[in-house]
Amino acid sequence: MAIRPYECALVPAVRVGAQHAAPLLAVSLWLFGCGGGSPLLHPAQTLPMGDVRAAGGMSANIAAGGLASGLRGARNIAASDASAPFGSNSGYAKGALVAAAIAPGLAPFVAARVGIGQAFEGGLAYTGRAVRVDMRRGFDFGPWALSIGVGGSATLYGSQQGTDLPNVDLSAIHGYGADLPLLVGYKSDAGLYMVWFGARGGYEHVAIGALTSEPDSVPESTASTQLDANRYWGGGVVGVATGFSRVHVALEFSAAYQAVHGTYNAASTTVQGLTLGPAAALWWQF
């Protein structure tokens, strides 16, 4: 099956020479990464009016605790009971909710931010399975700054492919969400380095189903899957950027507590746990 450049999919393992490993890895992450991470990857300081910062990189979304257990349990259930993915097994439902709402894995990150005056800044980011638009207001205190923002996101229908859980069709996932980031940060006089830290929380709704103008028309591939989930999360973020002139390398790490409640086929359940989100990007400011 052909994969469009913007689609995410599982990447098969291949044997390559050491000299080709790094380029292949970079291309694989860029084209096929599919995790549900959505990093900020920007400092607390807002851009001056008219300045633009473009960023390109990658992020990882790692499920831990109850989230990892739920996904692992669903895989074991599917291996031992072929009928479980089509019934009302609550254990399998937990794994399905994690795969759809948390989406552990790697993903590309492409973003642009622009200063719009009065210490306001807007941003647009693409994270593989979703797009995020945000607005924030900065407050400067010498080399220190505080920023408060709000973001809205949309999970893109048809942008994600591949799962090892039977009857969980991630190509039919879609949804929406919102988040509130609060950052405090320091910037050196010459802009040689920047450090930021803060808190972030949000909500997301995702569902698996066909988007069609004909309510009675449901493709065979999605007819047996009914998934609807609400995710609430909150946690902390810390980041650092260093560079010279208008080019910087940024690293960020986040940790969040996630609670997902929803239904999968006839089973209603809740799964909770931690996610870890390392991310990196290269900035160009102009």
Side-chain angles (χ1 to χ4, degrees), residues 7-259:
E7 288 183 331
C8 301
L10 294 179
V11 183
V14 294
R15 185 178 299 275
V16 296
Q19 69 274 21
H20 302 301
L24 180 61
L25 178 61
V27 172
S28 298
L29 294 179
W30 187 259
L31 295 180
F32 304 109
C34 185
S38 181
L40 295 175
L41 279 171
H42 63 66
Q45 289 81 4
T46 55
L47 292 167
M49 183 176 179
D51 277 15
V52 174
R53 179 186 294 125
M58 58 172 289
S59 70
N61 197 34
I62 303 169
L67 301 175
S69 298
L71 191 57
R72 184 168 54 250
R75 290 169 179 155
N76 293 336
I77 290 171
S80 61
D81 183 0
S83 65
F86 304 92
S88 59
N89 187 306
S90 61
Y92 192 82
K94 288 185 177 182
L97 294 185
V98 173
I102 303 299
L106 298 167
F109 176 82
V110 183
R113 309 194 63 81
V114 59
I116 55 180
Q118 304 297 316
F120 280 93
E121 179 185 285
L124 174 65
Y126 169 73
T127 60
R129 77 195 294 262
V131 293
R132 177 179 182 267
V133 179
D134 77 284
M135 182 71 66
R136 64 182 182 132
R137 172 72 158 86
F139 303 88
D140 289 333
F141 305 96
W144 290 89
L146 167 72
S147 74
I148 302 172
V150 59
S153 60
T155 304
L156 303 174
Y157 182 85
S159 67
Q160 188 170 345
Q161 299 287 339
T163 176
D164 58 352
L165 292 182
N167 202 39
V168 180
D169 183 11
L170 297 183
S171 68
I173 195 169
H174 53 277
Y176 56 86
D179 66 280
L180 298 169
L182 172 65
L183 292 180
V184 175
Y186 176 86
K187 180 179 179 180
S188 66
D189 291 339
L192 180 63
Y193 66 91
M194 290 167 265
V195 179
W196 63 93
F197 58 90
R200 189 182 180 197
Y203 162 81
E204 183 185 42
H205 172 80
V206 296
I208 288 181
L211 293 180
T212 174
S213 58
E214 301 177 14
D216 296 330
S217 177
V218 180
E220 181 180 351
S221 61
T222 61
S224 60
T225 302
Q226 297 177 6
L227 186 147
D228 191 275
N230 294 299
R231 176 173 68 98
Y232 299 89
W233 56 276
V237 57
V238 60
V240 61
T242 184
F244 57 92
S245 184
R246 292 179 175 268
V247 179
H248 290 76
V249 175
L251 303 174
E252 187 176 271
F253 181 81
S254 63
Y257 184 79
Q258 311 266 359

